[in-house]
Amino acid sequence: MIRFESVSKTYRSLLGRRQVHAVSEFSLEIGTGEVFGIAGPNGAGKSTLINVLLGFLQPTSGRVTIDGLKPRDFVETRGVSYLSELVAIPPGWRVERALARYAVLADVPSHQRPERIESAIATLGLAEHRRKKVKQLSKGNLQRLGLAQALVSDSDLVILDEPTHGFDPIWTQRFRDIARELRRPGRTVVIASHNLDELERVADRVGIIDHGQLQQIAEIGARATGSLAIYRVVVATPTALVAEVFPGAEKVRDVKGEEYRTAPLDLTALNEGLQRLIQSGVQVVAVVPERSQLEAVFRKAVGAEE
């Protein structure tokens, strides 16, 4: 279990005349076996929290523990699978050799290294690049190599900072599968990302951070039916029944087909309305949320509602 207890981190200028409060009175518990997301605007304090969690920075006040240990004690004795926001690997190293060196640094037993390296190469689709130098890789392939080196250690603590940065749509989709494969009893996964859609798909909970403070925790894995969202409902032929079933629904203009924008609904009201439409013979072509549940919670938490 990861525990932040009233953690604050203040940066001071060289002469101490200027202070920046990056994190203030931050408290949070992340359970073993959980996939926890961290989201927030630029400058919200996400990077500082990760650096404190890894023991790279010491908090100005408060305490952080991982399974009861100080962060550096945990990392040095039990290891961590870590992907930094900016992947920096010596450009002259070749892909396969780089993974071998990271496996040594991660203290992977020598007899397990070949299998771990091959598994990481296969998982991240790097087979055709294994003999290339790092400087020859595209931005997306470099990001895949960074994620591969994180997976080589196979640790019980996984920390991924912007893991899909530079990924194309195919590998963004593939990351969802990788995140699901990372789940196992006894392992904790922390993912910091600007991509709210990805966090909503892979995380159990998401902590929304702004101005160095935890604003809200969104329960992703167990959405309450009372959560409200606006939906776009597309039907095959014009009908006044949509507005009757969904009070306040507005027809979207200048859009091909009969598309309606609902007022905020919970899941119960949405499903009951769709059932009425279908039972009345209306052909429902598509139903999509105008904004994801997590995005709606995020915008409210950071004061960015329309």
Side-chain angles (χ1 to χ4, degrees), residues 219-233:
E219 300 282 348
I220 302 302
R223 296 188 186 94
T225 57
S227 298
L228 300 180
I230 295 172
Y231 295 89
R232 296 292 182 112
V233 179

Side-chain angles (χ1 to χ4, degrees), residues 7 19 30 33 59 66 93 99 108-109 153 169 219 241 285 291-292:
V7 171
Q19 297 184 354
I30 303 173
I66 308 173
W93 289 7
L99 291 175
V108 176
S153 65
E219 300 282 348
L241 192 58
V285 177
R291 182 182 297 155
S292 72

Side-chain angles (χ1 to χ4, degrees), residues 13 16-17 28 55 63 80 87 96 101 201 233 246 259:
S13 64
R17 295 174 180 172
L28 173 68
R63 188 170 73 130
V80 59
V87 178
E96 187 172 7
R101 287 170 170 168
R201 292 171 184 269
V233 179
F246 297 116
E259 182 174 348

Side-chain angles (χ1 to χ4, degrees), residues 160-229:
L160 307 177
D161 194 354
E162 299 294 344
T164 60
H165 181 68
F167 277 4
D168 60 26
I170 293 175
W171 274 98
T172 298
Q173 171 68 44
R174 175 61 182 139
F175 174 74
R176 300 169 192 167
D177 299 328
I178 293 172
R180 282 188 282 268
E181 292 165 5
L182 284 174
R183 288 183 179 273
R184 74 181 184 201
R187 170 181 277 168
T188 300
V189 180
V190 178
I191 302 174
S193 179
H194 286 97
N195 193 328
L196 299 180
D197 182 59
E198 291 309 307
L199 289 181
E200 187 165 26
R201 292 171 184 269
V202 303
D204 300 307
R205 297 186 300 158
V206 175
I208 300 171
I209 301 166
D210 194 20
H211 296 95
Q213 296 181 322
L214 181 63
Q215 303 295 329
Q216 189 169 346
I217 294 180
E219 300 282 348
I220 302 302
R223 296 188 186 94
T225 57
S227 298
L228 300 180

Side-chain angles (χ1 to χ4, degrees), residues 270-282:
L270 174 66
N271 282 282
E272 288 177 350
L274 292 174
Q275 186 176 22
R276 282 185 59 191
L277 289 176
I278 293 170
Q279 288 176 344
S280 300
V282 177

